[in-house]
Amino acid sequence: MFRIGDFSKIAQVSGRLLRYYEEIGLLSPEFTDPQTGYRYYSAQQLPRLNRILVLKELGLSLEQIARLLDDHTSPDEIRGMLTLRKAQIEQSVQEEMERLRGVEARLNQLDVLQQPDVVLKSAPAQHFLAIREVLPDMEAVKRRVRSIATTIPTIVGQPNLSHIAVLAHSPIYEPAALDVEIGYLLTGKTPDSARLSEEYTLTRRELPAIETLATLIHVGRINDGHQTYGALGTWMEQNRWQISGTGREILVQLPQRDEEDEAVIELQYPVSRSPQE
Amino acid sequence: MFRIGDFSKIAQVSGRLLRYYEEIGLLSPEFTDPQTGYRYYSAQQLPRLNRILVLKELGLSLEQIARLLDDHTSPDEIRGMLTLRKAQIEQSVQEEMERLRGVEARLNQLDVLQQPDVVLKSAPAQHFLAIREVLPDMEAVKRRVRSIATTIPTIVGQPNLSHIAVLAHSPIYEPAALDVEIGYLLTGKTPDSARLSEEYTLTRRELPAIETLATLIHVGRINDGHQTYGALGTWMEQNRWQISGTGREILVQLPQRDEEDEAVIELQYPVSRSPQE
DNA sequence: TTGCTCCTCACGTCACGTGAGGTGGC
DNA sequence: TTGCTCCTCACGTCACGTGAGGTGGC
């Protein structure tokens, strides 16, 4: 029999660890002196301790280990736990590789923080109360946005957060003819249509949910977006994503009073994984 | 300005997260109503929040992120932090691959827990008060161990834990002539020699520290070791280690009264990485 | 006025490390 | 007798999630 100090030296673990394992019922000393509280371990307990240490190194939680070592756990259950664990490790390797790519992308930059901060999100299915037009230039887009914002400032019976969004059906950097859809993105109850003027009406359609959206905040004047868009392109290349759908711009904050005031826009692009090269 | 609920919806984070980031000084609302305590965030704060989220995904701690975002941190320091982080990720990928190998090795087994529990340890530099002999068989080894244990049960002036150990200079599974060194492994003050009998004397020599030692507990009769040794071989193959030095057997517990009683032996083999195949 | 949103505690998480303050054992 | 070892609390870790219990805002 060994006192806790000797036993911990043999196994090269801390005494605290042994006391903790007793506390959670994973490994109890063979004998505890009721007078002094001293713990006494036998050499025969070393195999169990080693097994615990090995399973811990495989990344199992102490709770899982306790179950694994429980006699009432069947071999099939044990295999199941290990198979699950294997899948987890494989995924975590993937994630670490992602992180590695991300860190390297920033280190490749001269100024490390001059990179765009692209955040992956998902979007629920939404209503889009909007009008689709082909407009000659960004000025026309801005006018349309402004007219919507002033004519229909709030949607009746719509308690949810709503933003004006622009869907770019033609590439946004293609300046000749902008095929855009402009209107309100909504999640609650939405009317079928809303009158904008004599000639123009917003009509509702349903946008499907999108699983993965690369998003990026642009702060500045409303037509400066193309630089930011370019940065997103670089990011996607470095991080192995590609555009897989129509881009949106969410006008999180319209320019305040002055046309030239700062707006806050979230660029959103549906993306999917690039094929491995 | 957005209240915390709207701001958290835009950024797709929880309100709790935003409150926590304020608490640790990472991101404070632009304005807090002193009457109600309501937090108000502006759209202009989204870039900072996104940057925080991106750096968090790269695996930086919130404390590191706070330093990164601090204006007083130089670009060089930032590069340093990211370079360090890169190295950490690379190491963690290695470790995960190790775990993956370990889990797979067990899943390859029919009975998952029938595998040996090999634990990697290190050994400090030690004194070895021992005698080296070529003995004809395991019986002779056992006799020698017993004679040492009974003749020199404790080392005078040696407060430290001491075990009898056997160093196997010839392969332990080679039964013809066993070239072994038997004696006490000690770390404290050790005499130069100790008299065993008229003809035999233990003499002290120094064992160097060993960085990596594959260890394995064997419980049973003292000469059953070769099966356990075989299991170790399989393990090393599967986990890409190879023997790089002389093996030891630490007699953690001698057979009690009877020769046939259970002993507890820790097999220790210095190992190094196998070359990648 | 009634939901809805916000507020501030405060506990829980996971596997121990690290003292503090006190006692047993040779 | 004097170090050494052991004991039992109890706090700290990291980044929040999850209630509990109460109040402000439209």
Side-chain angles (χ1 to χ4, degrees):
Chain A
M1 300 285 259
F2 302 101
R3 296 199 304 188
I4 198 168
D6 288 342
F7 193 69
S8 74
K9 267 172 215 147
I10 293 170
Q12 295 197 358
V13 298
S14 71
R16 175 70 171 111
L17 178 144
L18 292 172
R19 292 192 192 96
Y20 182 62
Y21 286 2
E22 181 188 3
E23 189 184 330
I24 63 173
L26 199 51
L27 180 74
S28 298
E30 201 152 285
F31 168 71
T32 302
D33 188 323
Q35 304 306 318
T36 65
Y38 275 36
R39 294 167 175 81
Y40 293 91
Y41 293 86
S42 79
Q44 274 79 8
Q45 299 188 280
L46 283 172
R48 184 176 172 99
L49 177 54
N50 267 6
R51 175 146 292 176
I52 293 169
L53 296 178
V54 166
L55 293 172
K56 185 157 68 101
E57 269 180 28
L58 296 182
L60 295 162
S61 70
L62 297 187
E63 199 184 326
Q64 288 176 311
I65 293 171
R67 256 186 299 153
L68 267 184
L69 297 184
D70 182 358
D71 288 336
H72 300 304
T73 306
S74 73
D76 275 358
E77 285 178 276
I78 294 179
R79 291 191 83 78
M81 292 174 69
L82 287 179
T83 306
L84 176 64
R85 179 64 195 138
K86 182 185 164 191
Q88 287 172 344
I89 298 173
E90 281 163 351
Q91 200 194 328
S92 110
V93 168
Q94 291 302 314
E95 288 168 3
E96 289 289 67
M97 300 293 277
E98 284 296 300
R99 291 195 183 94
L100 196 53
R101 257 197 292 277
V103 173
E104 281 168 347
R106 281 185 185 249
L107 281 172
N108 286 341
Q109 216 70 6
L110 267 184
D111 182 347
V112 191
L113 290 186
Q114 217 54 48
Q115 277 233 337
D117 295 305
V118 178
V119 174
L120 296 176
K121 295 184 181 174
S122 60
Q126 278 167 302
H127 307 301
F128 193 30
L129 187 65
I131 179 172
R132 180 164 179 176
E133 302 168 282
V134 176
L135 298 175
D137 53 24
M138 280 304 291
E139 282 309 311
V141 173
K142 282 160 70 177
R143 274 196 305 275
R144 177 58 76 216
V145 166
R146 181 149 296 269
S147 76
I148 292 176
T150 51
T151 314
I152 314 169
T154 52
I155 309 294
V156 190
Q158 164 67 34
N160 286 298
L161 191 61
S162 65
H163 295 292
I164 292 182
V166 179
L167 255 77
H169 292 285
S170 61
I172 201 112
Y173 47 80
E174 175 66 69
L178 302 171
D179 179 0
V180 290
E181 199 172 356
I182 307 174
Y184 280 104
L185 260 186
L186 302 156
T187 47
K189 262 186 197 159
T190 308
D192 285 346
S193 65
R195 199 61 171 281
L196 198 60
S197 68
E198 301 290 305
E199 311 105 288
Y200 297 110
T201 302
L202 307 183
T203 55
R204 191 182 79 188
R205 72 177 183 105
E206 312 305 320
L207 297 183
I210 298 173
E211 223 183 295
T212 315
L213 219 45
T215 71
L216 179 49
I217 300 289
H218 167 72
V219 179
R221 282 184 308 158
I222 209 165
N223 49 352
D224 284 352
H226 31 308
Q227 300 166 18
T228 310
Y229 174 79
L232 182 62
T234 313
W235 180 88
M236 285 197 289
E237 226 173 89
Q238 296 219 358
N239 292 271
R240 296 194 30 252
W241 291 96
Q242 60 189 11
I243 292 183
S244 66
T246 307
R248 317 165 172 189
E249 302 190 4
I250 312 292
L251 302 175
V252 177
Q253 185 187 273
L254 297 170
Q256 301 298 51
R257 12 195 134 246
D258 195 337
E259 270 288 295
E260 302 306 307
D261 261 359
E262 292 216 323
V264 178
I265 302 170
E266 182 174 270
L267 304 182
Q268 298 186 334
Y269 284 85
V271 292
S272 60
R273 228 58 232 240
S274 293
Q276 290 269 35
E277 45 182 280
Chain B
M1 301 287 258
F2 302 100
R3 296 198 304 185
I4 197 169
D6 288 342
F7 193 69
S8 74
K9 267 172 215 147
I10 293 170
Q12 294 195 1
V13 298
S14 71
R16 176 67 171 110
L17 178 145
L18 292 172
R19 292 192 191 97
Y20 181 60
Y21 286 1
E22 180 188 3
E23 190 184 329
I24 63 172
L26 199 50
L27 178 74
S28 297
E30 200 151 287
F31 167 71
T32 301
D33 187 322
Q35 304 305 317
T36 66
Y38 275 35
R39 294 167 175 80
Y40 292 91
Y41 293 86
S42 80
Q44 274 78 8
Q45 299 189 278
L46 284 172
R48 184 176 172 98
L49 177 53
N50 268 6
R51 175 147 292 177
I52 292 169
L53 296 177
V54 165
L55 293 173
K56 184 157 69 101
E57 268 180 29
L58 296 183
L60 295 163
S61 71
L62 298 186
E63 199 184 327
Q64 289 176 309
I65 293 172
R67 255 186 299 152
L68 267 184
L69 297 184
D70 181 356
D71 289 335
H72 300 304
T73 305
S74 74
D76 274 357
E77 285 178 277
I78 295 179
R79 289 191 84 78
M81 292 174 69
L82 287 179
T83 306
L84 175 63
R85 179 65 194 137
K86 183 184 164 190
Q88 287 172 345
I89 298 173
E90 281 164 351
Q91 200 194 328
S92 110
V93 168
Q94 291 302 314
E95 288 168 3
E96 289 290 66
M97 300 293 276
E98 284 297 300
R99 292 194 184 95
L100 195 53
R101 256 198 294 275
V103 173
E104 281 168 348
R106 281 185 186 251
L107 281 172
N108 286 341
Q109 216 69 6
L110 267 183
D111 182 348
V112 192
L113 290 186
Q114 217 53 49
Q115 278 233 337
D117 295 306
V118 179
V119 173
L120 296 177
K121 296 185 182 175
S122 60
Q126 279 167 300
H127 307 302
F128 193 29
L129 187 65
I131 179 172
R132 181 164 178 176
E133 302 167 282
V134 177
L135 297 175
D137 53 24
M138 280 304 290
E139 282 309 311
V141 172
K142 280 159 71 177
R143 275 197 303 275
R144 175 61 74 217
V145 166
R146 181 150 296 268
S147 75
I148 292 176
T150 50
T151 313
I152 314 169
T154 53
I155 309 295
V156 190
Q158 163 69 33
N160 287 300
L161 192 60
S162 65
H163 295 292
I164 293 183
V166 179
L167 256 76
H169 292 286
S170 60
I172 201 110
Y173 46 80
E174 175 68 67
L178 301 171
D179 180 0
V180 291
E181 198 172 359
I182 307 174
Y184 279 105
L185 261 186
L186 303 155
T187 45
K189 263 187 197 156
T190 307
D192 285 345
S193 65
R195 200 61 172 283
L196 199 58
S197 68
E198 301 290 306
E199 311 105 289
Y200 299 109
T201 302
L202 307 183
T203 55
R204 191 181 78 187
R205 72 175 182 107
E206 313 304 321
L207 297 182
I210 298 173
E211 223 183 295
T212 315
L213 219 44
T215 72
L216 181 48
I217 299 288
H218 167 72
V219 179
R221 283 184 306 157
I222 211 164
N223 49 351
D224 285 352
H226 31 310
Q227 301 166 20
T228 310
Y229 175 80
L232 182 63
T234 313
W235 180 88
M236 284 196 291
E237 225 173 271
Q238 297 218 358
N239 292 272
R240 296 193 30 252
W241 290 96
Q242 61 189 11
I243 292 182
S244 66
T246 307
R248 316 165 173 189
E249 303 191 5
I250 312 292
L251 302 175
V252 177
Q253 185 187 272
L254 296 171
Q256 302 297 51
R257 3 188 145 251
D258 194 340
E259 270 289 295
E260 302 305 307
D261 262 358
E262 293 217 321
V264 178
I265 302 170
E266 182 173 270
L267 304 182
Q268 298 186 335
Y269 284 85
V271 292
S272 60
R273 230 56 231 243
S274 292
Q276 289 268 35
E277 44 181 282

